[in-house]
Amino acid sequence: MVDGMKKSFLFLADGFEEMEAIAVIDVLRRGGVEIQTVSITSQREVKSAHGVTVLADCVFGEVSEEDVECLIFPGGMPGAQNLGHCKELMLLLQRQYDKGGYIAAICAAPAFVLSQLDVEKKLKLTCFPGFEKFLPNAKVVSDGVVVDGQIITGKGPGFAVAFGLNILGKLRSSVVATEVAKGMLL
């Protein structure tokens, strides 16, 4: 890693959606983004919504706020709810938003995580169908992936790769995202 290079962090809680986590990590690493998976508990082992256990790169207490390039929140149930219940994580989220940093959430995570942001404007977001009711202060649209300034949202597992490519486009460039997509035969 280049000195002073920022990292992106993808947060994992028990019940996370596998595709929304692993596909995004894969796309970003192919594009040269330094990304770490973070367990929000004191244990590095995290169990997905469908019973797959993964070993996170680190635990929440090891995340250095100065290093943050992008905070990424996969969906899945009850994973997204578990992320939203982590008070320290929600404080980090608000600080990232306030300083204009990138934030990405997919599926149920916009409903349970981004809904907690204190914002001055109505954000344009997408989420898993049926979770719109948790976003009364947002303009929720049905698109697969939505980029509203520093906020990137995805609708669900079928959009995980496109979601990752949109994050990559923001963090690096549309050229890098296009090259990665071509390499993945998209």
Side-chain angles (χ1 to χ4, degrees), residues 7-9 68-73 92-93 96-97 99-105 147-152 166-167 169-172:
K7 295 178 196 167
S8 291
F9 295 97
V68 175
E69 179 173 30
C70 183
L71 302 179
I72 306 167
F73 302 92
L92 176 63
L93 169 71
Q96 177 75 353
Y97 178 81
K99 71 181 182 187
Y102 288 111
I103 297 165
V147 178
D148 184 359
Q150 74 203 72
I151 308 289
I152 304 124
N166 273 271
I167 297 168
K170 280 292 200 180
L171 300 182
R172 295 299 174 262

Side-chain angles (χ1 to χ4, degrees), residues 94-183:
Q94 188 66 52
R95 290 191 299 270
Q96 177 75 353
Y97 178 81
D98 291 345
K99 71 181 182 187
Y102 288 111
I103 297 165
I106 186 168
C107 194
F112 293 106
V113 175
L114 299 188
S115 63
Q116 298 189 48
L117 273 175
D118 181 16
V119 297
E120 294 188 7
K121 68 173 188 121
K122 247 187 165 148
L123 296 173
K124 183 178 175 190
L125 309 171
T126 191
C127 66
F128 195 84
F131 286 90
E132 299 87 352
K133 65 182 177 243
F134 295 103
L135 294 160
N137 298 321
K139 181 181 191 305
V140 182
V141 296
S142 63
D143 302 19
V145 179
V146 173
V147 178
D148 184 359
Q150 74 203 72
I151 308 289
I152 304 124
T153 51
K155 194 170 187 175
F159 296 96
V161 172
F163 175 68
L165 289 167
N166 273 271
I167 297 168
L168 182 58
K170 280 292 200 180
L171 300 182
R172 295 299 174 262
S173 72
S174 59
V175 172
V176 171
T178 299
E179 287 300 310
V180 168
K182 280 171 46 180

Side-chain angles (χ1 to χ4, degrees), residues 10 18-30 35 72 74 104 106 159-161 163-165 167:
L10 186 140
E18 301 87 343
M19 287 175 60
E20 296 166 0
I22 303 301
V24 171
I25 294 162
D26 180 88
V27 166
L28 293 178
R29 286 190 177 161
R30 286 174 191 251
I35 180 167
I72 306 167
I106 186 168
F159 296 96
V161 172
F163 175 68
L165 289 167
I167 297 168

Side-chain angles (χ1 to χ4, degrees), residues 1-6:
M1 184 174 97
V2 179
D3 278 336
M5 195 168 162
K6 300 277 190 186

Side-chain angles (χ1 to χ4, degrees), residues 1-64:
M1 184 174 97
V2 179
D3 278 336
M5 195 168 162
K6 300 277 190 186
K7 295 178 196 167
S8 291
F9 295 97
L10 186 140
F11 296 93
L12 297 173
D14 284 335
F16 73 92
E17 163 52 54
E18 301 87 343
M19 287 175 60
E20 296 166 0
I22 303 301
V24 171
I25 294 162
D26 180 88
V27 166
L28 293 178
R29 286 190 177 161
R30 286 174 191 251
V33 173
E34 174 82 18
I35 180 167
Q36 286 192 318
T37 54
V38 181
S39 167
I40 65 163
T41 70
S42 60
Q43 303 298 313
R44 285 180 55 208
E45 284 189 359
V46 187
K47 194 171 204 169
S48 75
H50 301 102
V52 178
T53 300
V54 300
L55 189 63
D57 296 316
C58 62
V59 296
F60 186 75
E62 297 171 325
V63 173
S64 171

